[in-house]
Amino acid sequence: MDGLVFEYFSDAEIFAILGEEQGKDFELDLQAYHDSVIEYETLAGASLAAKRTMSQSMTLISQIFENPTIQENLADINEEYIDFKRILKMWMESSEWKDFNDIVKPMTQQMKDKRQQKSQAHSSNQNWQLNSR
């Protein structure tokens, strides 16, 4: 950082910048400034704050979108649906985990077949319950 300041800022620019910060009556020994060793800590403040806010709100947002009434109203009234895969990606982004594609994967044909069988069994069970009343 010191090298960048030394190479790209003239002494007059340094005085102007510091003068705005410290007031016009400040004093600076430029030689001491250039010879000094200064430690800098770079904070990703804006990004970190935004991600923290996103992370904190994700729980509430997820609970709202999981509500079956919200889902039905979106579908019935607006002809829209909730993209849960996008919500999962938002969770991953807010936690800064980059391996979403390693976690969420397309179903194999065997998985799809098993899911279809469960769906048919559930449907048959509901029909049986309705007919037995």
Side-chain angles (χ1 to χ4, degrees):
M1 184 73 110
D2 287 333
L4 292 172
V5 170
F6 185 76
E7 187 170 333
Y8 292 104
F9 288 93
S10 68
D11 289 347
E13 288 173 310
I14 293 170
F15 268 107
I17 292 168
L18 292 175
E20 288 177 19
E21 282 290 320
Q22 303 291 325
K24 294 184 180 184
D25 296 329
F26 82 100
E27 292 184 4
L28 174 67
D29 179 357
L30 277 176
Q31 190 59 48
Y33 174 78
H34 289 303
D35 292 341
S36 65
V37 176
I38 302 171
E39 289 187 28
Y40 294 95
E41 183 177 345
T42 305
L43 302 175
S47 175
L48 190 59
K51 287 189 183 210
R52 182 176 39 241
T53 301
M54 183 179 178
S55 180
Q56 290 172 345
S57 63
M58 283 304 299
T59 302
L60 179 62
I61 290 170
S62 296
Q63 289 174 350
I64 291 169
F65 287 151
E66 287 174 353
N67 184 322
T69 304
I70 298 284
Q71 294 176 32
E72 287 178 27
N73 286 340
L74 274 172
D76 294 344
I77 298 170
N78 298 56
E79 295 182 347
E80 296 174 328
Y81 72 98
I82 298 166
D83 184 355
F84 286 100
K85 187 172 184 178
R86 181 65 197 128
I87 292 173
L88 290 174
K89 285 183 179 183
M90 291 168 67
W91 270 105
M92 297 297 285
E93 182 181 320
S94 70
S95 65
E96 296 193 21
W97 291 336
K98 307 292 184 207
D99 52 358
F100 178 83
N101 291 331
D102 292 335
I103 297 171
V104 178
K105 298 183 176 201
M107 294 173 74
T108 65
Q109 188 58 48
Q110 182 181 5
M111 293 170 165
K112 291 177 186 179
D113 293 343
K114 187 174 183 177
R115 183 168 168 76
Q116 182 66 30
Q117 289 171 356
K118 282 175 60 176
S119 176
Q120 288 172 347
H122 181 72
S123 179
S124 296
N125 188 24
Q126 282 185 332
N127 288 336
W128 180 84
Q129 287 178 347
L130 288 174
N131 291 334
S132 65
R133 289 183 181 174

